[in-house]
Amino acid sequence: MSGDQVDASFASTAVLARQVVSGADAHLFLAANASWADHLEERGLVERRVDLLGNTLVIVVPSGSSLVLSDPTALTGADVERVAIADPESVPAGLHAREAFTRLGAWEALGAKLVVAGDVRQALALVERGEVDAGIVFSTDARASDRVQVACRIPESASGPVVYPLLLLTSAAEHPRAVALYDVMTTNESLATFRRHGFRVLLPPPPSELPGGLLTSGMTLHYTANGQPGQVWSIDAIDRELTLAGREGCTTITLTKTPGGPEVRRLHRDADVLHSLTDDGATWKTKRPVGPGMTWDRPNAEGVITSRYETGDSSVVTISGRSIPVVATTITQLDGSGRPKSRLREQYSPGLETATEGVFEAPSESEPSGWATTFRFELVEIREAEPPR
């Protein structure tokens, strides 16, 4: 599409959606809120749709401010008088902020302090000019300004997922270049640009790269451990599309780790969550989420949460000439009190049913991040099965 001119209109999602409903000459719409995308779809104005990007709500204060916020509800404290917010009745950032503080039980207490802006960038500007003590904006907005600093993040468990659907509108049917632009916006090059500006990419790996899509019998996976030669995984056998424990669409992978010994992995693909079949062949346990922008708590037999899964951006890595989709994943192990006792940060490949690289960490009071590396591993080579002699 090099050389083509794209005319862009920038405004709040609510304003733009209303313009589309009113007949505005638009072909694509990147919304910052799924509800407004639903609104257009219900009116028959959407030809294609994909959840493209994700974001996070943060609380910002003017650069150099001494205001300390231990958590979002600290905005209700006496040291905060004015808080900027995008319109909580229609603008996505405001809608998510209202949802978050309602769930946190602080919306009513916050109400008298709110300074309502027409959109999230106007709310950001109020903070930049020092006209308010703090503001609630998206993390990408905060990243774009050198006149504010992030004081606190608002957890997605409170705000709900912040999703940016990309819509190809029905008006684009007679405009092939608009369709081409829609496709271009989902390419790896475009997604890399979005990542550089702080967005999470929500597009899942292509179906061909989902469980069982990359591994073949006889393949070997070669790892390093702390920079030295490490384990070698030999894929002994793969049976796909089985029915196990009443579940269809299962994959059984038999492998041998050197050193380590034999292992059998039984997988089922369901709603972007991997499940593994227990050895008795009768029950299932959730293994981990594989789509970007997800969280998952895993309890033990007593119902105590012992591990927490969080996924970030999806991307593509190249190993032995192969392009392998991966999802950034953090697995935090918790003690009985819910405190972190270790964590694993890895690039997880659904197609390989393992990580291409990872770092094991332990809590540390001496490290700025609060974590110290204890072990690193990396998949450095994938060898195909040797042909029979």
Side-chain angles (χ1 to χ4, degrees), residues 258-271:
T258 308
E263 180 178 334
V264 176
R265 299 187 172 205
R266 297 185 174 119
L267 313 174
H268 173 65
R269 173 81 180 165
D270 181 19

Side-chain angles (χ1 to χ4, degrees), residues 9 75 87 101 107 110 136 158 173 177 188 203 250 313 329 354:
S9 297
L75 282 181
D87 189 346
F101 283 91
W107 180 245
L110 192 62
I136 304 169
R177 303 309 291 167
N188 286 334
L203 282 181
C250 301
D313 289 344
T329 305
T354 188

